[in-house]
Amino acid sequence: MVEGSMTQGAGQGPEVERTATLRDFRVPAYVHETGPYGQGAHPGDVVPAPEQAPPQGYPATERDLPVIDGQDTAQVAVEPVPAPAGQPATGPGPLYVVGDVHGYLDELVAALQEQDLIDADGQWCAGTARLWFLGDFTDRGPDGIGVIDLVMRLSAEAAAAGGYCKALMGNHELLLLGAKRFGDTPVNSGAGTATFQAAWLLNGGQKTDMDRLQDHHLQWMARLDAVEEVDGHLLVHSDTTAYLDYGGSIEEVNDTIHEALTRNDADEVWDLFRKFTKRFSFRDEGGADAVRSLLDTYGGTRIVHGHSPIPYLLGEVGSEDGEDNSGPTVEGPHVYADGLAIAMDGGVTMAGKLLVQQLPMTD
């Protein structure tokens, strides 16, 4: 058993008057690529170019372009979006982060509505707001593919409104990619032979997710970044220093991981999964120094992560698979490591709380 689990940022330009349009989002060519997706010490995680110009100030890249479906084009009706109350007239909108979702779609929708990021119909209503998901969209909960579909749709809607919705890669994205790519292919786990399929099932893999998993979901997950810095916040999925093994800059880390996934070597992808399943690096003695090592290397003044449920960080007893029906009490994010780290996994899988938090936090 190994202790426990990655896309892009964008700025916004001056507010401009928006009129109703029908924006034609061109699906990136990579959706139609022939990819490698043929059928072929912790209780929570066990390791056995768009057709038209985007909104002003939004630097669209291939990774940023929303994938709506597998067709050549997808029509997205864009209605005029009034600026939500309290948002600045110019410059970037407010910044929000979302902790681990793990397939709990209803809880995610409720949490986003509570923060006025989506409306009663589940549509983006936050204008120029910036929303970051910290990874782990699937496994354990009932509708991981539904969660991914929502995030992908909100990415398109937020971009059209002058904001953005983006995501990092978590260890469960690596696990699902590995289970789909490699299945029962043996890998060198460091403690004998293991397979991605067995690890995926052991860590809450849902057959309904695998049955609904499509190539554009896989392409989207494989292009998620591992690290980003926004407004002085270093965003990562896992509370580990393993990121330092992959480069001395944010760009180098993200490129190294993308290249490893592109090479499609089962042992190499397993090593990625194993390292980003580590956890608790910031919790105990020396934790603040571990955070500083990441901040000194990649920038930022505070690290924001998911992965380790807050009840575990606090030493509370519980099961991440929901076996303890009493559930922990989680009121909000956990600030620790001399105030340098913010934990965002509220333990929704163990009847905790799915957290959506505006940054910066006031302690």
Side-chain angles (χ1 to χ4, degrees):
M1 182 178 298
V2 177
E3 58 177 2
S5 104
M6 294 168 314
T7 95
Q8 311 76 6
Q12 289 75 40
E15 185 178 79
V16 296
E17 183 177 354
R18 302 190 183 280
T19 57
T21 63
L22 189 67
R23 194 173 300 278
D24 180 14
F25 286 106
R26 178 70 60 178
V27 175
Y30 62 71
V31 172
H32 304 296
E33 293 174 357
T34 302
Y37 305 112
Q39 298 296 328
H42 173 66
D45 284 297
V46 184
V47 179
E51 188 71 14
Q52 299 180 12
Q56 182 178 357
Y58 183 82
T61 67
E62 183 179 58
R63 292 176 190 159
D64 292 335
L65 290 174
V67 179
I68 309 300
D69 56 32
Q71 304 301 317
D72 284 340
T73 61
Q75 302 294 322
V76 179
V78 181
E79 299 295 334
V81 181
Q87 285 199 5
T90 60
L95 175 64
Y96 294 83
V97 290
V98 184
D100 298 35
V101 182
H102 281 300
Y104 285 84
L105 178 60
D106 291 344
E107 288 80 354
L108 173 61
V109 168
L112 293 174
Q113 288 174 338
E114 184 178 356
Q115 294 287 346
D116 295 322
L117 292 165
I118 62 175
D119 61 22
D121 296 322
Q123 308 296 311
W124 180 265
C125 66
T128 62
R130 299 166 294 160
L131 178 62
W132 278 93
F133 285 81
L134 298 178
D136 276 9
F137 301 101
T138 67
D139 302 336
R140 307 194 193 286
D143 195 1
I145 298 302
V147 170
I148 292 176
D149 285 337
L150 174 62
V151 176
M152 293 169 70
R153 176 171 61 77
L154 291 179
S155 296
E157 294 174 0
Y164 65 70
C165 169
K166 299 180 183 294
L168 297 179
M169 180 177 286
N171 64 311
H172 281 263
E173 281 68 68
L174 288 167
L175 183 57
L176 183 56
L177 283 167
K180 182 66 174 179
R181 289 185 181 188
F182 308 115
D184 290 323
T185 301
V187 295
N188 182 8
S189 70
T193 300
T195 71
F196 271 104
Q197 179 72 11
W200 175 70
L201 291 170
L202 189 60
N203 286 284
Q206 303 293 304
K207 184 179 185 299
T208 52
D209 283 344
M210 187 64 78
D211 290 344
R212 295 158 59 203
L213 189 62
Q214 299 181 42
D215 202 60
H216 66 270
H217 297 128
L218 294 160
Q219 298 284 4
W220 182 80
M221 286 190 292
R223 283 165 171 79
L224 296 177
D225 284 343
V227 188
E228 188 55 79
E229 189 272 328
V230 186
D231 294 354
H233 297 90
L234 186 64
L235 308 181
V236 298
H237 174 70
S238 304
D239 46 326
T240 178
T241 58
Y243 298 94
L244 296 170
D245 296 343
Y246 293 93
S249 69
I250 289 174
E251 182 178 13
E252 186 179 359
V253 171
N254 293 330
D255 286 347
T256 300
I257 290 170
H258 294 146
E259 290 164 4
L261 291 173
T262 299
R263 283 190 290 272
N264 203 38
D265 178 86
D267 287 325
E268 188 174 18
V269 176
W270 180 269
D271 192 57
L272 275 174
F273 165 66
R274 179 183 62 82
K275 287 184 176 179
F276 291 113
T277 301
K278 294 180 179 180
R279 62 175 87 228
F280 301 144
S281 293
F282 315 147
R283 184 185 66 175
D284 300 319
E285 184 178 358
D289 289 335
V291 175
R292 290 188 185 97
S293 70
L294 291 167
L295 296 176
D296 290 346
T297 301
Y298 303 126
T301 58
R302 221 175 201 183
I303 198 163
V304 185
H305 70 85
H307 187 47
S308 290
I310 290 170
Y312 289 148
L313 289 169
L314 296 175
E316 298 178 4
V317 176
S319 168
E320 199 171 353
D321 291 310
E323 296 172 1
D324 182 356
N325 294 325
S326 63
T329 300
V330 177
E331 299 297 335
H334 174 49
V335 180
Y336 68 115
D338 294 348
L340 296 174
I342 302 174
M344 282 293 302
D345 184 350
V348 65
T349 64
M350 48 199 293
K353 186 175 182 180
L354 200 157
L355 297 177
V356 179
Q357 177 66 42
Q358 184 173 355
L359 298 176
M361 284 186 62
T362 54
D363 300 339

